[in-house]
Amino acid sequence: MSSNDPRAAKQTIIPKRRQDLLKWNGWGYKDSKFQFDGHSMCEVTGDRYKISGQKLPLLKDWFIGVIGASMDRKSPAQPELSADQLPKAVINENFLFELKKTNISYSEDAHDRLFRAHGHTMDELFILRYGKFERIPDIVVWPESQEQVEQIVKLASEHDCAIIPYGGGTSVTWALLCPKNETRMIVSLDTCMLNKILWVDEKNLTARIQSGINGQELERQLGEKGYCTGHEPDSMEFSTLGGWVATRASGMKKNQYGNIEDLLVHLTIVTPKGTMSKNCLVPRISNGPDIHHFVLGSEGTLGVIVDATLKIRPLPKCRKYGSVAFPTFDDGIKFMREVARLKCAPASLRLLDNEQFSFGQALKSETSSMLQSFVDGLKKLYITKIKGFDPSQICAATLVFEGDKEDVLAHENKIYSIAKQFGGLPAGEENGEKGYMLTFAIAYLRDLGFDYYVIAESFETSAPWDRVSDLIKNVKKCLERSCKNAGVQYPIYSSARVTQVYDAGACIYFYFAINYYGLSDPVKVYNEIEAAARDEIIASGGSLSHHHGVGKIRRRWMNQTIGEHGIGMIKAVKSYIDPKNVFASGNIIPSENPDENEQSPAQHIKAKL
């Protein structure tokens, strides 16, 4: 991995027993976390990221001043539960007997089962820290080939078991949660051993890749051959190719390389009806409805994606970061719109509002020299005093350019010229690189918040250009109003960024956090507030989701977003391809029980105040 790559610096293979390397009740690697050194300064442990080992002297004041946290009020997580404290496994003896005849690796260990019982929503982590899941998978299996996946699906179908596919576990939609009313044996089919690049076709610039490979390992292996996919979702260290296809994922460099549906040339999926794939590898086909689009976004409800053929590109010869400061967020949105209109977006282009920009300043590391401190002071003086930017309104865009050196330089000049038309000032390559880098470390901050009664979540949407600004304002007002009505006693944090840009609109990504101290039922309150925000998004012209997917957390809105007949089409495909409901996660299609659609799995856990 190149020296300027912002992802985790260490090459790390995720083991089958993931809890040996990764946190069992939080995000990411065990050795990496944000923590306060006594009562003063925050530090980042480990050595995996560029921010690792650094001191963050401003974060404590932000933590206290912006969301009202107190260093004297802590909410520590419970110790890891013992095996006898976890739900007992439901065993289908006939399935297990036949499984033992194969060479397929499996585990009935309680902690292996627990690790695959959840994704990474706030609710799921709240359960891990303060409660207990009512239902978890009963067995974990690790197939290593398409043939072994076919064996597992056949056995589950024959012996009336349920299957929930598991990739990287980064889902933020309750997609991995086991339905509480599922009485059959639940098999967690972990794809991590399906982790090989099967072939690279250098003439057609395609590669066939098994579905369980994670994004970081995929790019590393392709990079050794001089290629890349360019698909970099925030979760790429852990999320997998199969998960990207199953959720219609999008990456930070979508502007140059495309979303997953743009990269996909071919796929293979094992279903209860049999294995399905097209019979040719062609760039486009007109054979009626595209069967790939039944699978894209199917979220594990139809079968197991075992491999996919993706477009690849030669590694870019030049990568440059950049940033632009704008007087106001609306100025920045106008800049983004113009870039989209001219079809000249760099590989990555993200606009942060003032709240996210200010938060980024709080994550600045301890200045290493008096000279650097002096230079930073001059920059701030120039922007605020000489150029007249209001510190409470200023926002920033971060940029990544990739390509040949000459093309990158010309692209930079064009983007900065457009920015100037809307009052934008170049803010430096270092700020752009830091902004991109923090994407991979920011998820660790939520674990720090949990320790101090702060719960946080991200949610996203897409909207037409003429609705972007109003939608953001409406959602922020809705969050403020809902928090006040719910009795939240402390200031809330809500921020937005405009990310992937399109001809007809953009993706909008929100961060929302509250200090729940004083609330007896914080998860219920939080989810009611977020549901109100989702209602506001839809009322303001936004989509249900741009790239996170539906899962079970958003299925209650499916009827109003695609209509009764849209739901009927999805049910018809499901009924044909999986008539016994082997793939029984319950994702996408609304439950007939309204309570199941709306209640959080963590709603029964009360706060310990």
Side-chain angles (χ1 to χ4, degrees):
M1 203 171 288
S2 64
S3 60
N4 68 339
D5 196 308
R7 291 164 281 172
K10 287 184 176 180
Q11 177 189 340
T12 305
I13 303 297
I14 306 297
K16 287 165 67 174
R17 188 173 167 82
R18 300 185 188 216
Q19 59 269 33
D20 291 342
L21 179 68
L22 307 177
K23 296 188 187 78
W24 72 275
N25 65 349
W27 176 263
Y29 299 104
K30 284 182 173 180
D31 60 11
S32 300
K33 64 179 180 178
F34 288 78
Q35 65 182 19
F36 285 110
D37 179 10
H39 275 202
S40 54
M41 192 176 294
C42 186
E43 60 183 359
V44 186
T45 65
D47 60 358
R48 295 181 182 275
Y49 304 91
K50 287 196 172 182
I51 197 173
S52 297
Q54 296 185 17
K55 304 282 188 181
L56 309 177
L58 305 178
L59 186 59
K60 176 191 168 186
D61 289 343
W62 182 93
F63 213 57
I64 295 171
V66 174
I67 47 181
S70 169
M71 298 295 101
D72 297 320
R73 288 197 303 262
K74 293 201 69 175
S75 180
Q78 65 185 352
E80 186 171 6
L81 299 178
S82 63
D84 60 5
Q85 292 175 296
L86 296 172
K88 301 298 181 186
V90 174
I91 300 299
N92 183 311
E93 296 292 352
N94 292 329
F95 174 88
L96 195 56
F97 178 77
E98 295 295 331
L99 181 67
K100 288 177 179 178
K101 292 181 181 180
T102 71
N103 293 320
I104 299 168
S105 178
Y106 71 92
S107 172
E108 298 175 83
D109 178 84
H111 293 104
D112 286 338
R113 294 163 49 222
L114 174 64
F115 203 93
R116 291 155 185 84
H118 62 87
H120 279 82
T121 63
M122 178 276 295
D123 309 68
E124 291 161 305
L125 296 182
F126 202 91
I127 292 172
L128 290 169
R129 288 178 64 97
Y130 308 116
K132 186 171 77 171
F133 286 101
E134 296 181 44
R135 188 77 167 89
I136 67 175
D138 303 302
I139 192 170
V140 181
V141 294
W142 289 280
E144 297 184 26
S145 65
Q146 177 179 318
E147 292 71 27
Q148 289 192 343
V149 173
E150 290 169 343
Q151 283 181 286
I152 294 165
V153 174
K154 182 180 179 183
L155 288 177
S157 187
E158 288 177 350
H159 299 291
D160 197 24
C161 296
I163 295 176
I164 298 179
Y166 184 93
T170 59
S171 163
V172 287
T173 62
W174 303 349
L176 292 170
L177 290 174
C178 298
K180 290 186 292 186
N181 59 357
E182 180 56 73
T183 58
R184 297 174 292 176
M185 183 180 189
I186 298 176
V187 180
S188 176
L189 193 154
D190 189 327
T191 61
C192 72
M193 301 305 291
L194 296 168
N195 57 13
K196 300 176 183 64
I197 296 177
L198 300 175
W199 48 254
V200 173
D201 182 341
E202 298 188 75
K203 290 184 179 179
N204 294 306
L205 288 181
T206 55
R208 187 179 182 188
I209 306 149
Q210 289 185 311
S211 63
I213 195 168
N214 66 54
Q216 183 168 248
E217 185 62 15
L218 171 59
E219 293 303 288
R220 187 190 68 79
Q221 290 188 31
L222 283 176
E224 290 175 352
K225 302 176 186 295
Y227 298 101
C228 69
T229 68
H231 187 72
E232 293 192 2
D234 294 7
S235 60
M236 70 172 294
E237 295 174 83
F238 310 108
S239 60
T240 62
L241 171 57
W244 300 342
V245 174
T247 57
R248 292 183 64 91
S250 181
M252 291 181 288
K253 296 194 291 190
K254 160 262 156 198
N255 299 331
Q256 185 157 322
Y257 298 95
N259 292 316
I260 194 64
E261 66 270 22
D262 304 309
L263 292 167
L264 185 68
V265 177
H266 190 270
L267 63 79
T268 307
I269 181 171
V270 176
T271 79
K273 277 283 189 180
T275 300
M276 186 176 75
S277 63
K278 294 180 182 178
N279 71 341
C280 55
L281 288 169
V282 293
R284 190 175 186 274
I285 192 168
S286 180
N287 278 14
D290 190 339
I291 61 172
H292 286 173
H293 287 275
F294 293 134
V295 181
L296 282 156
S298 58
E299 300 189 20
T301 61
L302 301 179
V304 181
I305 299 160
V306 292
D307 65 57
T309 301
L310 300 184
K311 301 172 189 175
I312 58 174
R313 295 195 193 184
L315 284 170
K317 295 178 181 178
C318 177
R319 175 190 294 152
K320 287 196 73 176
Y321 297 92
S323 60
V324 182
F326 290 95
T328 70
F329 195 47
D330 280 340
D331 291 322
I333 291 174
K334 291 173 185 175
F335 157 74
M336 300 279 277
R337 176 67 189 103
E338 182 67 5
V339 168
R341 188 183 71 80
L342 295 174
K343 298 183 184 294
C344 63
S348 176
L349 173 62
R350 298 187 294 173
L351 177 71
L352 316 181
D353 68 4
N354 182 259
E355 288 79 10
Q356 276 197 40
F357 175 78
S358 300
F359 180 55
Q361 304 308 298
L363 290 174
K364 281 195 169 183
S365 60
E366 203 169 22
T367 303
S368 57
S369 69
M370 288 182 64
L371 176 61
Q372 184 61 50
S373 180
F374 179 70
V375 170
D376 289 343
L378 285 179
K379 290 177 183 176
K380 184 175 181 181
L381 177 69
Y382 176 74
I383 288 177
T384 59
K385 300 299 183 184
I386 298 175
K387 286 295 182 178
F389 283 28
D390 182 347
S392 68
Q393 297 293 319
I394 189 173
C395 72
T398 61
L399 317 164
V400 181
F401 301 90
E402 290 188 351
D404 292 337
K405 186 175 181 180
E406 296 78 10
D407 293 338
V408 165
L409 291 175
H411 203 169
E412 277 187 303
N413 290 335
K414 185 167 188 176
I415 292 298
Y416 289 127
S417 175
I418 296 170
K420 188 176 180 180
Q421 297 173 31
F422 299 96
L425 292 173
E429 186 172 354
E430 183 181 0
N431 285 327
E433 183 174 2
K434 282 181 177 179
Y436 197 79
M437 172 197 71
L438 279 173
T439 300
F440 298 99
I442 201 101
Y444 288 93
L445 273 167
R446 183 167 59 174
D447 296 337
L448 178 68
F450 271 122
D451 289 339
Y452 294 91
Y453 290 96
V454 174
I455 49 179
E457 192 65 278
S458 62
F459 53 95
E460 39 70 63
T461 185
S462 52
W465 280 113
D466 65 349
R467 301 301 302 152
V468 168
S469 180
D470 285 344
L471 185 150
I472 292 170
K473 291 171 185 175
N474 292 346
V475 171
K476 286 187 174 185
K477 288 177 183 176
C478 174
L479 291 171
E480 290 278 358
R481 183 173 62 250
S482 299
C483 286
K484 183 177 180 181
N485 293 340
V488 176
Q489 300 173 20
Y490 298 91
I492 72 166
Y493 175 75
S494 67
S495 68
R497 70 172 184 245
V498 181
T499 56
Q500 291 90 328
V501 298
Y502 301 86
D503 294 350
C507 171
I508 306 166
Y509 208 96
F510 291 94
Y511 286 110
F512 171 52
I514 62 171
N515 179 345
Y516 71 84
Y517 191 79
L519 297 177
S520 62
D521 209 346
V523 175
K524 183 175 185 293
V525 168
Y526 191 99
N527 280 289
E528 287 174 350
I529 293 168
E530 189 176 321
R534 182 62 56 183
D535 286 334
E536 186 62 56
I537 285 172
I538 293 171
S540 296
S543 66
L544 186 56
S545 174
H546 171 264
H547 60 270
H548 281 172
V550 178
K552 291 180 273 293
I553 199 170
R554 281 185 275 278
R555 62 184 177 177
R556 72 174 97 166
W557 288 281
M558 284 294 282
N559 272 308
Q560 72 185 91
T561 55
I562 66 170
E564 176 187 350
H565 302 309
I567 293 288
M569 289 178 69
I570 293 173
K571 286 181 175 180
V573 172
K574 169 73 172 173
S575 178
Y576 172 77
I577 209 76
D578 185 15
K580 295 181 181 179
N581 193 28
V582 172
F583 291 89
S585 62
N587 296 333
I588 302 175
I589 299 172
S591 170
E592 293 178 3
N593 181 349
D595 288 341
E596 288 183 6
N597 291 327
E598 297 182 14
Q599 286 186 355
S600 160
Q603 234 164 256
H604 63 284
I605 304 172
K606 303 299 181 181
K608 297 177 181 178
L609 303 177

